[in-house]
């Protein structure tokens, strides 16, 4: 295994490792062990430090022929392949290393990283869960796991691990937003509201904290309380597009279409690919009977994201109002077909339990 100065590690060093956020730096310690596989491993370390990695690998393989469960050789071979991007080759060595030394955090961590890079998220999470049993305070790993759980639609588990990290380090601002997002995806808006309220108090100069709290208040039906925080978020960061959109979208839902055009236009100007804002702006334009402008907004949304069914559905409504029945029918049929093909655009992603 290589460290900050290109070193591989002997058994004593491997057990002394502390992997930072994503294998960013690994300190190297050299140790001589008295057994024959230890001698072979240490000779391999010297070769690896000289850049003769292939020769080092041969010696580590020889060590494993003498002692198949010799942890330093297994780990060094696994890390060597991982570093070279040979992930399929790395995995069996790291799996064996983790089995031989189940109390070694680094073996489980690196096995998880290997599986994650191989798009085997469930296997990565299992390895990382074993790593957390060894290091239950490793907040950086919890952050990585929350993201991976979310990718796999294990939203309840993502929320649990995010909240666990936040309880350990409530002084880290980004952990609040990670927990808020995870709770939202898990459908636990009450927990998200509590975290957002705490974040808005801890970080009063943060536009993101003010917006997240406003979002949850609005979702809870408390828009009168949410509005000052939305305005505060806009004031703190005028180039933050989400507060503009959510304010404008709320106005559309209140049928205050003319008022909604300004904040929605601002959101779209700040982020041209903001499809929800473009759709809401088209609704506002339809509300004030600006049909051509509505079609233009919807056509631009289709150009940016042709798979989204909602712009076509709204176009069918505009064409119907304009008495163009063939275009209205065609747009509606296309919207229905796209909805079947791309249900995630309109339907909430369902959570599922993580398989132990």
């Amino acid at each position: 295994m290589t460290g900050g100065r290109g070193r591989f590690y002997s058994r004593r060093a491997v057990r002394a490792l502390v992997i930072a956020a994503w294998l960013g730096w690994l300190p190297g310690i050299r140790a001589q062990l008295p057994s024959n596989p230890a001698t072979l491993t240490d000779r391999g370390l010297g070769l690896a430090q000289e850049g003769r990695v292939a020769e080092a690998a041969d010696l580590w393989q020889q060590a494993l022929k003498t002692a198949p469960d010799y942890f330093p050789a297994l780990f060094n071979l696994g890390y060597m392949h991982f570093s070279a991007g040979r992930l399929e080759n790395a995995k069996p060595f790291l799996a064996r290393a983790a089995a031989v030394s189940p109390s070694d955090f680094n073996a489980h961590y690196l096995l998880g990283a290997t599986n994650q890079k191989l798009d085997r998220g469930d296997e990565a999470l299992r390895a990382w869960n074993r790593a957390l049993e060894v290091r239950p305070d490793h907040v950086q790993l919890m952050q990585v796991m929350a993201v991976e759980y979310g990718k796999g639609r294990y939203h309840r588990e993502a929320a649990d691990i995010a909240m666990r990290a936040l309880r350990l380090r409530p002084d880290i601002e980004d952990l609040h937003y990670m927990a808020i997002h995870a709770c939202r995806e898990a459908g636990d808006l009450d927990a998200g509201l509590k975290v957002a309220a705490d974040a808005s108090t801890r970080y009063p100069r943060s536009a993101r904290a003010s917006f997240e709290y406003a979002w949850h208040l609005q979702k809870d039906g408390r828009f009168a309380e949410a509005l000052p925080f939305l305005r505060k978020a806009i004031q703190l960061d005028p180039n933050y597009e989400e507060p503009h959109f959510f304010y404008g979208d709320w106005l559309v839902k209140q049928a205050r279409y003319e008022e909604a055009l300004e904040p929605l236009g601002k959101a779209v100007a700040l982020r041209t690919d903001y499809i929800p804002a473009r759709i809401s702006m088209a609704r506002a334009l339809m509300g004030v009977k600006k049909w051509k402008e509505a079609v233009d907004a919807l056509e631009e949304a289709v150009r940016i994201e042709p798979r989204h069914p909602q712009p076509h559905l709204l176009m069918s409504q505009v064409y119907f109002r304009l008495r163009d029945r063939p275009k209205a029918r065609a747009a509606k049929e296309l919207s229905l077909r796209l909805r079947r093909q791309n249900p995630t655009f309109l339907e909430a992603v369902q959570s599922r339990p993580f398989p132990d």
Side-chain angles (χ1 to χ4, degrees), residues 80-259:
M80 178 195 70
H81 287 300
F82 178 89
S83 299
R86 297 188 295 269
L87 303 174
E88 292 287 1
N89 293 336
K91 182 178 176 179
F93 288 111
L94 294 170
R96 287 167 61 190
V100 166
S101 185
S103 63
D104 189 272
F105 171 85
N106 304 299
H108 297 300
Y109 191 114
L110 195 58
L111 178 60
T114 301
N115 280 311
Q116 193 267 345
K117 288 178 178 290
L118 288 169
D119 292 324
R120 296 169 185 165
D122 287 4
E123 293 181 58
L125 287 164
R126 291 189 189 96
W128 285 335
N129 269 312
R130 288 189 286 271
L132 272 188
E133 290 174 5
V134 181
R135 286 281 307 279
D137 61 342
H138 204 293
V139 170
Q140 294 95 333
L141 176 55
M142 294 177 200
Q143 290 176 276
V144 174
M145 291 176 68
V147 173
E148 196 64 35
Y149 272 128
K151 284 167 57 179
R153 295 188 291 116
Y154 305 118
H155 297 308
R156 182 66 265 163
E157 288 80 359
D160 289 344
I161 201 76
M163 291 298 291
R164 178 177 167 183
L166 181 59
R167 285 192 294 270
L168 284 169
R169 292 297 306 275
D171 57 309
I172 298 178
E173 183 176 352
D174 283 347
L175 291 182
H176 289 78
Y177 306 137
M178 182 181 75
I180 289 168
H181 175 78
C183 289
R184 184 181 302 164
E185 291 295 302
D188 193 348
L189 296 183
D190 289 341
L193 176 60
K194 291 177 182 176
V195 177
D198 180 57
S200 70
T201 301
R202 285 176 180 268
Y203 310 107
R205 303 303 301 168
S206 167
R208 174 77 183 272
S210 292
F211 168 70
E212 294 290 358
Y213 189 38
W215 188 95
H216 276 84
L217 288 170
Q218 177 180 329
K219 202 71 175 176
D220 202 40
R222 299 155 60 183
F223 190 77
E225 296 174 66
L227 185 56
F229 286 95
L230 271 180
R231 289 174 173 160
K232 182 179 179 181
I234 292 170
Q235 181 182 21
L236 289 170
D237 185 358
N239 294 321
Y240 186 12
E241 74 279 3
E242 286 189 286
H244 295 286
F245 162 62
F246 276 92
Y247 179 47
D249 191 58
W250 179 82
L251 290 170
V252 169
K253 290 172 182 174
Q254 302 302 308
R256 295 161 60 178
Y257 302 117
E258 192 72 47
E259 293 177 68

Side-chain angles (χ1 to χ4, degrees), residues 1-7 9 13-14 16-29 75 79 82-83 105-106 109-110 135 138 140:
M1 175 177 182
T2 58
R5 298 182 181 176
R7 294 177 179 170
Y9 294 94
V14 169
L17 294 175
V18 176
I19 296 184
W22 189 251
L23 299 170
W25 179 78
L26 298 171
I29 304 173
F75 189 88
Y79 185 78
F82 178 89
S83 299
F105 171 85
N106 304 299
Y109 191 114
L110 195 58
R135 286 281 307 279
H138 204 293
Q140 294 95 333

